[in-house]
């Protein structure tokens, strides 16, 4: 006959051990270092250099990320999530939707969102469920802010959310042979020129048609 202790032990659900705080900090440091170095040197930067900048050993890096693809996946996920956070912060801080949009565009540039583009090629799984969910969340949040700015009469009516996302991607993408971290003053200057062109009333007629999310997804 089983004892009460044995019965209770068998009935109790097994707990999944939580990662230690230092292990979580190491993982965050690796992702941060990888994001910085991917921006500076591209997605082929040696992983041991990323480990060195993060202040961890190679074994720690590979324990968290078994290969380059896993690390790139996490960096893209982190940047996309952080960019959505920046949008929510802008909306909370600014009552005027166009001012919130402007604030978000500059904040997204600081997240180096354009630097992700060279990493989204080759065998990278852009349709991974986690990434797809984060990307759709960001796109729809930007779309909502664009539509509110239009409804308020602050944003010209002949553009769509895709125009904002394409320009943001292009204007924050690193130039070949130039350290992206050293050209912030130019990036924000050119972003402001772009934002000035979005304000209503429109100062010119745009060629072609507005870029929608459907246009972007069809071309991906």
């Amino acid at each position: 006959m089983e004892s009460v202790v044995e019965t209770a032990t068998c009935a109790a659900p097994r707990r999944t051990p939580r990662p230690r705080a230092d292990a979580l900090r190491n993982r965050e440091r690796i992702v941060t270092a990888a994001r910085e170095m991917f921006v500076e040197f591209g997605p082929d930067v040696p992983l041991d250099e990323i480990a060195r900048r993060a202040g961890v050993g190679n074994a720690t890096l590979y324990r968290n990320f078994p290969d380059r693809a896993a690390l790139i996946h996490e960096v893209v996920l982190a940047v996309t999530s952080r960019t959505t956070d920046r949008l929510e912060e802008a909306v909370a801080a600014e009552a005027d939707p166009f001012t919130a949009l402007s604030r978000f565009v500059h904040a997204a540039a600081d997240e180096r969102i354009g630097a992700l583009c060279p990493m989204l090629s080759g065998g990278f799984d852009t349709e991974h469920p986690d990434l797809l969910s984060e990307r759709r969340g960001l796109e729809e949040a930007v779309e909502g802010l664009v539509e509110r700015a239009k409804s308020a009469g602050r944003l010209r009516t002949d553009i769509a959310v895709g125009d904002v996302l394409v320009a943001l991607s292009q204007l924050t993408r690193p130039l070949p042979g130039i350290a992206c971290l050293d050209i912030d003053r130019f990036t924000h200057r050119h972003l402001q020129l772009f934002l000035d062109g979005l304000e209503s009333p429109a100062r010119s007629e745009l060629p072609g048609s507005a870029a929608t999310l459907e246009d972007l997804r069809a071309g991906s």
Side-chain angles (χ1 to χ4, degrees):
M1 183 175 179
E2 292 181 338
S3 68
V4 174
V5 174
E6 289 172 333
T7 302
T9 301
C10 293
R14 294 186 178 183
R15 294 181 179 178
T16 302
R18 293 182 178 179
R20 300 194 316 272
D22 58 339
L24 291 174
R25 284 194 296 270
N26 283 341
R27 186 179 178 88
E28 290 173 0
R29 282 199 292 263
I30 293 168
V31 172
T32 299
R35 169 178 163 269
E36 292 173 355
M37 298 194 78
F38 288 155
V39 169
E40 293 178 56
F41 305 109
D44 296 325
V45 63
L47 296 185
D48 59 343
E49 292 295 330
I50 293 175
R52 186 175 294 111
R53 178 172 293 196
V56 302
N58 288 353
T60 299
L61 186 149
Y62 283 107
R63 187 162 55 247
N64 283 275
F65 305 102
D67 54 33
R68 183 179 301 275
L71 180 54
I72 290 177
H73 172 96
E74 192 66 22
V75 169
V76 173
L77 192 65
V79 172
T80 306
S81 176
R82 283 165 57 96
T83 303
T84 303
D85 291 343
R86 300 293 84 79
L87 186 143
E88 293 172 353
E89 291 166 4
V91 169
E94 305 290 350
D96 175 59
F98 187 83
T99 304
L101 179 64
S102 299
R103 181 172 180 147
F104 160 69
V105 166
H106 284 289
D110 289 335
E111 293 298 332
R112 320 290 177 193
I113 193 168
L116 298 181
C117 296
M119 294 188 279
L120 306 180
S121 60
F124 186 81
D125 183 9
T126 58
E127 300 301 312
H128 187 284
D130 291 345
L131 292 173
L132 194 59
S133 175
E134 286 290 350
R135 190 183 78 198
R136 292 286 172 87
L138 174 59
E139 290 172 345
E140 290 168 6
V142 178
E143 185 174 42
L145 184 54
V146 164
E147 292 306 316
R148 289 196 295 277
K150 278 187 185 180
S151 296
R154 296 281 284 115
L155 183 68
R156 57 189 298 165
T157 59
D158 57 349
I159 67 103
V161 61
D163 295 306
V164 175
L165 295 175
V166 168
L168 182 57
S169 171
Q170 294 297 322
L171 291 172
T172 60
R173 188 178 299 197
L175 297 174
I178 295 178
C180 185
L181 296 177
D182 294 332
I183 64 170
D184 281 351
R185 63 190 185 278
F186 301 122
T187 298
H188 289 284
R189 176 183 176 87
H190 296 155
L191 283 172
Q192 191 56 50
L193 285 171
F194 163 69
L195 288 164
D196 287 348
L198 292 183
E199 282 198 86
S200 180
R203 294 168 177 79
S204 63
E205 183 176 346
L206 295 178
S209 58
T212 66
L213 288 180
E214 289 71 24
D215 293 328
L216 298 187
R217 290 168 184 167
S220 62

